[in-house]
Amino acid sequence: MSADNRIGKQTLIFNSRPQILSSYAIVGDIEGQGPLAQYFDAIIKDDTLGEKSWEKAESKMLELSVDGALQKADIKKEDVQCMFAGDLLNQIISASYAARELKIPYLGLYGACSTMSESLLMGSILLDGGFASSAVCVTSSHFSTAERQFRAPLEQGSPNTPTSQRTVTGSGCLVLGYESKARTIINVTHATIGKVVDMGIKDASNMGAAMAPAACDTIITHMQDMGRTPNDYDLIVTGDLGQLGAVLLAELCLSRNVDLKGKHYDCGCAIFAPEQNTKSGGSGCGCSAVTLAGYLLKQMVMGTYHRILFMSTGALMSPSATQQGESIPGIAHAIVLERGEGA
Amino acid sequence: MSADNRIGKQTLIFNSRPQILSSYAIVGDIEGQGPLAQYFDAIIKDDTLGEKSWEKAESKMLELSVDGALQKADIKKEDVQCMFAGDLLNQIISASYAARELKIPYLGLYGACSTMSESLLMGSILLDGGFASSAVCVTSSHFSTAERQFRAPLEQGSPNTPTSQRTVTGSGCLVLGYESKARTIINVTHATIGKVVDMGIKDASNMGAAMAPAACDTIITHMQDMGRTPNDYDLIVTGDLGQLGAVLLAELCLSRNVDLKGKHYDCGCAIFAPEQNTKSGGSGCGCSAVTLAGYLLKQMVMGTYHRILFMSTGALMSPSATQQGESIPGIAHAIVLERGEGA
């Protein structure tokens, strides 16, 4: 059997055009004071959500975003055929414990902050292959769980470097399916599977620099595979490169004759305002997830954007590996979203 | 679009019958002294493989098993369209660093010890959906990296409880594709996506008990979805329930009127001999991976087994979650493998 639904080296075509039936974004207090506040479905004032630990709170947040998205799509939990989920925590406990409560067939992913586009890619494969009529794609991150796992306990009060980013507290969920009843439909038309790229960055507070080369590699490959240029997109979205990483990405792409000028949107740069003093911007799986589930999809429905390339970016960093002298590998998977007319 | 390739609640049909083009199993010294020794492709005497840390050694082992399997399949790395990989380590560093070296488009998975069947499930979806003509499915585990991450540093010399299992040092890789030139073909025909099941086990040294309920749930669902009984299979394989978990699984299934008698094979029970004193048996992602890639597939080719249900079993345990009083959720995904005649 030939790979009929593949184009070029790394790009997949979804001929059935899976639809985004609904999305839900829940965020923390700081994110709820940022420029995208009005686009989120829920803002939590207490980042413990009344749970005994931040880890339990993050898992609860992920569960709430699935519940919220399914309610909007008018689909019962027991009718969902698969959930693709992952998060930043060791053993992806936010996703796994939420999957236990939700009782939905579950495939766990780890792609660091690239997880939102990884889950959409897998969900679209599942649907387009005729293996399911609906799938949940979800991820989360939490400032306080990420700090203590990847950097230093918050109680230590370590200062941040200028290149550091603030992990977004939030969870974004999209429900994929068919037969949306909405007047405007957002379809997933293509995806590009990323490769791991590592340019030798070893600073866990400079993730933008670690991820930019992977984002560049995926963009270049996608454009070559599709025979497109950035002009074919209204927006080229990256997950959480931050201020520094965004500049690097533009330079890297330009050096390979791809000009992102006027097209690039980084969720990490957008989610916090400069006066919120988050240094290089936002990060975490939740960053691109809530920006997509909240802001970007609403803008597509409103007609601001017709076709976007959505690409969550992951720094596959590990405290153990870093302590053993390893550099931080990056990865980015891309998804093409298109606006169309509904039934 | 309807889900034509789904049967029942959680089971997928692969009409194109993806083939296992090759497999490769590399194991450590202790595994190489066990009853399956003759079936492994490589046995490493030094479990550091000359690397500076066990973590780097595990990643190297995973890379070697991919190289070995691709060589057998006569496929070049640069022609492989996707690698589905994961392991037990935080941030699945064994898989991610190997993916960096291999330069194959990469989708990272986390399913604890269920990863081998999760990767085969994802690979089969990718191929059957026409998105690729080949895919690499691989996982690894390492006794020394797992002990220090999940339990106690080896240097501490903690005693083992009778219910404990020894993490297998090993990596197993399968290459999926079409147009095998072999006389005997092994096809992937169906898969059942598991749900997270948690019966409240909190002892990280009793993983068999934590996983058995999930394995039972997947077996029962699979049989119901397919309208089959254990008699339709020559073997029902679980990943690493160990001696104790295997007994529990038989009891749990019998209580739901499914009799596994004479059909059940647990890789964790098979990989070490009783005199090797590994308590309840073997465990780890590598356990079911090397048993499948080494022993089971060779037995299928020889005609000992014609149809097996292969089900890696995962204990989604996390030291952080355990310290916060959580129990250990289990999950199991099932794959149907069938022997057929080649070209």
Side-chain angles (χ1 to χ4, degrees), chain A residues 129 167 216 229:
Chain A
T167 303
C216 172
T229 74

Side-chain angles (χ1 to χ4, degrees), chain A residues 5-6 53 100 129 198 324, chain B residues 5 53 100 129 131 198 324:
Chain A
N5 298 325
R6 171 171 291 258
S53 72
R100 178 183 71 181
D198 187 337
Q324 293 179 12
Chain B
N5 298 325
S53 71
R100 179 183 69 180
F131 300 106
D198 187 337
Q324 292 179 13

Side-chain angles (χ1 to χ4, degrees), chain A residues 1 3-6 53 55 90-91 97 100 106 108 110 118 122 129-131 194 198 317-318 324 327 333, chain B residues 3 5-6 53 55 90-91 97 100 106 108 110 118 122 129-131 149 194 198 317-318 324 326-327 333:
Chain A
M1 183 163 163
D4 295 333
N5 298 325
R6 171 171 291 258
S53 72
E55 286 76 12
N90 297 341
Q91 297 84 43
Y97 283 102
R100 178 183 71 181
Y106 162 62
Y110 188 79
E118 185 180 357
M122 296 239 195
F131 300 105
D198 187 337
M317 70 171 184
S318 149
Q324 293 179 12
S327 51
H333 306 294
Chain B
N5 298 325
R6 171 169 290 257
S53 71
E55 287 75 13
N90 296 341
Q91 295 85 44
Y97 284 102
R100 179 183 69 180
Y106 162 62
Y110 187 80
E118 184 179 357
M122 286 306 313
F131 300 106
Q149 181 181 287
D198 187 337
M317 70 171 185
S318 150
Q324 292 179 13
E326 268 293 1
S327 50
H333 306 294

Side-chain angles (χ1 to χ4, degrees), chain B residues 240-253:
Chain B
D240 52 353
L241 299 181
Q243 305 294 346
L244 186 82
V247 173
L248 281 175
L249 175 67
E251 286 175 5
L252 284 168
C253 284

Side-chain angles (χ1 to χ4, degrees), chain A residues 1-6 9-10 12-14 16 53 55-56 81-82 84 88-93 96-97 99-100 103-111 118 121-122 124-133 148-150 178-179 193-196 198 316-322 324-329 331 333, chain B residues 1-6 9-10 12-14 16 53 55-56 81-82 84 88-93 96-97 99-100 103-111 118 121-122 124-133 148-150 178-179 193-196 198 316-322 324-329 331 333:
Chain A
M1 183 163 163
S2 63
D4 295 333
N5 298 325
R6 171 171 291 258
K9 285 166 68 181
Q10 290 161 238
L12 321 177
I13 310 172
F14 305 121
S16 70
S53 72
E55 286 76 12
K56 285 179 198 279
Q81 300 179 320
C82 189
F84 292 94
L88 289 178
L89 298 188
N90 297 341
Q91 297 84 43
I92 56 167
I93 47 175
S96 297
Y97 283 102
R100 178 183 71 181
K103 299 182 175 61
I104 300 172
Y106 162 62
L107 291 163
L109 309 177
Y110 188 79
E118 185 180 357
L121 189 157
M122 296 239 195
S124 302
I125 290 172
L126 190 81
L127 264 67
D128 196 63
F131 300 105
S133 52
R148 77 167 155 201
Q149 180 180 288
F150 287 108
Y178 296 102
E179 299 176 15
I193 306 176
K195 284 184 183 178
V196 173
D198 187 337
L316 302 167
M317 70 171 184
S318 149
S320 308
T322 305
Q324 293 179 12
E326 268 292 3
S327 51
I328 303 170
I331 194 160
H333 306 294
Chain B
M1 182 163 164
S2 62
D4 294 332
N5 298 325
R6 171 169 290 257
K9 285 167 68 181
Q10 291 161 237
L12 320 176
I13 310 172
F14 305 121
S16 70
S53 71
E55 287 75 13
K56 286 179 198 281
Q81 300 178 320
C82 188
F84 292 95
L88 289 178
L89 298 187
N90 296 341
Q91 295 85 44
I92 57 167
I93 47 175
S96 297
Y97 284 102
R100 179 183 69 180
K103 298 182 176 60
I104 300 173
Y106 162 62
L107 292 163
L109 308 177
Y110 187 80
E118 184 179 357
L121 188 156
M122 286 306 313
S124 302
I125 290 173
L126 189 81
L127 264 67
D128 196 65
F131 300 106
S133 52
R148 77 167 155 201
Q149 181 181 287
F150 287 108
Y178 296 101
E179 299 176 16
I193 305 175
K195 284 183 183 179
V196 173
D198 187 337
L316 301 166
M317 70 171 185
S318 150
S320 308
T322 304
Q324 292 179 13
E326 268 293 1
S327 50
I328 303 170
I331 194 160
H333 306 294

Side-chain angles (χ1 to χ4, degrees), chain B residues 162-181:
Chain B
T163 56
S164 72
Q165 294 170 244
R166 183 183 169 95
T167 304
V168 165
T169 298
S171 174
C173 177
L174 272 70
V175 179
L176 297 182
Y178 296 101
E179 299 176 16
S180 166
K181 294 182 191 83

Side-chain angles (χ1 to χ4, degrees), chain B residues 305-324:
Chain B
Y305 309 120
H306 283 76
R307 185 196 279 160
I308 73 173
L309 187 68
F310 175 77
M311 189 169 39
S312 304
T313 39
L316 301 166
M317 70 171 185
S318 150
S320 308
T322 304
Q323 283 159 20
Q324 292 179 13

